Amino acid sequence: MRIRSLGVIDDAVVELSPGFTAVTGETGAGKTMVVTSLGLLLGGRADPALVRIGAKSAVVEGRISVPDGASAVVRAEEAGAELDDGALLISRTVSAEGRSRAHLGGRSVPVGLLSELADDLVAVHGQTDQQGLLKPARQRGALDRYAGDAVAVPLAKYTAAYRRLRAVTTEVDEITTRARERAQEADLLRFGLDEIAGVEPRAGEDVELAGEAERLGHAEALASAATSAHAALAGNPEDPEGVDATTLVAGASRALEAVRSHDPALSALADRLGEIGILLGDVAGELAGYADDLDADPLRLAAVEERRAALTQLTRKYGADVDAVLSWAEEGSARLGELEGDDDRLGDLTAERDALRAELAGLAAALTDARQEAASRFAAAVTEELASLAMPHARVSIAISATEVADGGDGVVVGDRTVAYGPAGVDEVELLLAPHPGAPPRPIAKGASGGELSRVMLAVEVVFAGTDPVPTYLFDEVDAGVGGKAAVEIGRRLARLAKSAQVVVVTHLPQVAAFADRQLLVEKTNDGMVTRSGVQVLEGEDRVRELSRMLAGQEDSETARAHAEELLATARGDG
């Protein structure tokens, strides 16, 4: 990672070991900025107070190696990101005004996308993150994750049945609670459909009637115009001396016919005159027929207007025109069928709901059995780890219970009890700790001190190692409140965890730092800033000096140096 203008860090590069990296330094030197930086890269909240005073923005850039085909890679590529030689390049910028920008694989992306990737990339544990382990829902999730397919398979079936049950229950409730509204809707639909059926409109009928009404309303004018036009074309029998178009065109045609053989051009004109004569005859005939067929019957006009009025009543209520009215009737009929079938539908849904409840009860029981089996193995494994973390007499157990619901309450019957259920089953899971013989098992929130909680947390993570797909763990002083032999064992266990995952630990304990594959020292310059050279990889004598400072506060103390060298030798011997 490269960190710029974040907190006390001016400009620094942090290169982490593929195995176990320990980050150390004086209190207030900026060690936790490493955790904060990684949190920003993984979509954490952008606090403008993190921006160094005088800077316009803070920038964190990271290069995270990811295996091909990993879900994080798939999701990143879907967002348009490109991998850089098998690694994701992530950057996050936080302005002093509070604005935040994120880039992934060279593309600008929503910060929320980084949060989506976080669960597949890094597990962050700090003093505040331990509080998550105190929540029963998180403890159930941890147990399920440990159990693997033994729980995942029945849980997937349970979740599918649960979702269907929720959907069916919602529909039953809707039909039941809206019975009156649905009855009113059915009555309105019946009235409308009956009204439309009584009129019996035909598709396009309103357009046809409008045209007929227009003709009937102007019948006399139309007949007079047609008669006059016919007379102009074909002549008026009552006026033998009158000149008409047909006679004139016929005369012109005869004049040309006599000489057409002498000139092709004139012959073509003669043909065209012949065509005109034929067309005039056709139009004259149609005009005569139109005038004869035109109905000026006022009774028919009245009938048309009456029909149009009936159709208008429908179009005012059910659609812009008759076609829209017919469409409304089709949809209304289908909807009425649904409403009238509610009783049958309600019966079918109720039967399905009862069947789903029974199925859910069986799946919940199978889920509980799988969790019980995994719980005993999980508790035994964590207890064994605690014995190696200077808690030899501590015992961890997992209580799995269910909450009964009163008669008539929403629950499923498991065994002879009606119990509450949710999307993850009926089980309430709680991690219990008995720190010493004779102590009753108590929830870890109440039965563990700060140091004990840190060790329980670490024991849980070590047990998860190898089964958890997360490639990187980050611990921020989870060893607080621990010292002596317990601190050595914590270092040893973190080194074991680092054999199957990348482990980054911010620590103040030399016993823990000695087991790291790489130790980074964060130190301020004289002006109180951490510069690029302020994050050093410690090797050889420099590492001994830092461990001596952590042990005794004196880099040059011979006793502290001897102890530091002994710690390193112990750690190398374990390796």
Side-chain angles (χ1 to χ4, degrees):
M1 290 187 298
R2 183 179 183 186
I3 309 166
R4 287 177 288 172
S5 302
L6 186 72
V8 298
I9 297 181
D10 177 31
D11 190 345
V13 174
V14 179
E15 189 171 347
L16 306 176
S17 165
F20 179 5
T21 300
V23 182
T24 64
E26 295 277 6
T27 300
K31 300 188 300 297
T32 57
M33 285 297 106
V34 174
V35 180
T36 302
S37 299
L38 191 54
L40 287 172
L41 287 182
L42 298 174
R45 188 176 68 87
D47 185 353
L50 295 172
V51 180
R52 183 168 61 85
I53 296 174
K56 293 182 179 179
S57 61
V59 179
V60 181
E61 299 167 306
R63 188 175 191 275
I64 302 180
S65 297
V66 285
D68 291 338
S71 57
V73 172
V74 174
R75 183 68 186 90
E77 289 179 338
E78 288 175 352
E82 296 182 1
L83 268 65
D84 178 35
D85 194 19
L88 279 175
L89 300 181
I90 306 176
S91 70
R92 184 82 182 276
T93 303
V94 181
S95 72
E97 291 79 24
R99 293 188 302 274
S100 170
R101 290 184 289 114
H103 289 81
L104 176 66
R107 295 293 296 272
S108 178
V109 297
V111 173
L113 177 59
L114 302 186
S115 300
E116 289 181 35
L117 302 181
D119 291 340
D120 296 322
L121 296 175
V122 180
V124 181
H125 299 295
Q127 290 292 305
T128 56
D129 296 286
Q130 289 179 4
Q131 302 306 311
L133 192 62
L134 306 183
K135 300 176 181 178
R138 287 284 297 275
Q139 293 174 19
R140 181 178 59 207
L143 176 62
D144 290 354
R145 191 173 57 164
Y146 173 78
D149 287 345
V151 166
V153 172
L155 180 58
K157 295 178 181 178
Y158 175 94
T159 301
Y162 175 84
R163 288 174 178 165
R164 177 57 188 162
L165 176 60
R166 291 292 90 194
V168 169
T169 301
T170 299
E171 195 167 352
V172 168
D173 292 343
E174 181 184 359
I175 292 175
T176 303
T177 57
R178 293 187 57 213
R180 179 178 299 176
E181 294 176 23
R182 296 167 80 89
Q184 292 173 345
E185 183 183 356
D187 286 343
L188 289 173
L189 287 172
R190 288 192 197 95
F191 177 84
L193 291 171
D194 289 345
E195 189 174 11
I196 293 171
V199 176
E200 296 183 338
R202 292 181 294 102
E205 184 181 3
D206 50 344
V207 177
E208 295 175 10
L209 291 175
E212 186 176 359
E214 186 73 12
R215 288 195 303 275
L216 290 172
H218 300 84
E220 292 184 5
L222 293 172
S224 176
T227 300
S228 297
H230 178 270
L233 294 178
N236 187 348
E238 298 178 1
D239 182 15
E241 301 297 327
V243 180
D244 59 82
T246 301
T247 301
L248 293 174
V249 170
S253 182
R254 286 192 300 272
L256 295 181
E257 282 294 332
V259 295
R260 64 180 296 169
S261 60
H262 303 303
D263 188 350
L266 197 62
S267 177
L269 293 173
D271 290 341
R272 290 169 64 184
L273 275 174
E275 293 172 0
I276 292 172
I278 293 170
L279 184 59
L280 285 174
D282 290 344
V283 174
E286 290 183 19
L287 284 170
Y290 176 85
D292 291 341
D293 294 340
L294 193 62
D295 187 1
D297 185 359
L299 294 179
R300 174 56 186 166
L301 178 58
V304 168
E305 293 296 352
E306 183 179 355
R307 180 64 176 171
R308 291 184 70 199
L311 294 178
T312 300
Q313 289 292 326
L314 298 182
T315 56
R316 285 175 179 170
K317 297 180 182 179
Y318 308 111
D321 52 31
V322 168
D323 288 349
V325 170
L326 292 172
S327 178
W328 182 94
E330 183 179 355
E331 294 173 2
S333 181
R335 175 60 176 162
L336 183 60
E338 291 180 11
L339 296 173
E340 290 178 336
D342 272 354
D343 289 342
D344 294 337
R345 175 79 176 140
L346 183 60
D348 293 341
L349 288 172
T350 302
E352 183 181 3
R353 181 188 63 186
D354 294 342
L356 283 168
R357 282 186 185 277
E359 179 185 359
L360 213 59
L363 291 171
L367 204 50
T368 299
D369 291 342
R371 283 173 174 152
Q372 291 280 14
E373 191 279 330
S376 60
R377 291 187 292 110
F378 184 61
V382 174
T383 296
E384 183 179 350
E385 284 299 325
L386 287 177
S388 300
L389 293 173
M391 294 178 67
H393 304 297
R395 293 290 179 270
V396 169
S397 58
I398 295 179
I400 298 179
S401 60
T403 301
E404 292 194 37
V405 297
D407 292 341
D410 184 21
V412 294
V413 178
V414 178
D416 57 353
R417 299 188 303 157
T418 302
V419 296
Y421 65 100
V426 301
D427 303 316
E428 296 174 9
V429 176
E430 193 158 34
L431 196 61
L432 307 178
L433 174 68
H436 53 80
R442 302 180 64 195
I444 57 173
K446 302 175 181 177
S449 65
E452 289 171 339
L453 184 58
S454 297
R455 282 177 276 178
V456 171
M457 184 70 171
L458 179 57
V460 167
E461 294 299 351
V462 172
V463 170
F464 275 148
T467 64
D468 197 323
V470 177
T472 300
Y473 293 92
L474 175 61
F475 294 92
D476 182 15
E477 297 191 7
V478 294
D479 48 17
V482 180
K485 181 180 178 182
V488 173
E489 293 303 330
I490 286 179
R492 184 173 284 120
R493 286 302 179 271
L494 288 170
R496 178 185 299 178
L497 181 59
K499 293 184 183 301
S500 58
Q502 182 182 40
V503 176
V504 182
V505 179
V506 177
T507 183
H508 66 281
L509 292 179
Q511 297 95 326
V512 171
F515 282 87
D517 299 308
R518 173 177 294 169
Q519 184 172 348
L520 300 179
L521 172 63
V522 180
E523 58 182 353
K524 296 179 182 179
T525 57
N526 292 334
D527 62 1
M529 290 293 111
V530 177
T531 63
R532 180 183 293 270
S533 60
V535 180
Q536 302 178 38
V537 178
L538 298 180
E539 296 178 348
E541 181 62 24
D542 290 336
R543 189 169 184 187
V544 172
R545 285 174 59 84
E546 171 62 7
L547 290 175
S548 299
R549 181 199 63 76
M550 297 172 71
L551 282 164
Q554 300 176 5
E555 297 91 333
D556 299 323
S557 166
E558 289 300 325
T559 302
R561 286 176 58 83
H563 192 183
E565 290 171 350
E566 182 181 358
L567 281 175
L568 287 171
T570 300
R572 293 191 186 103
D574 278 18

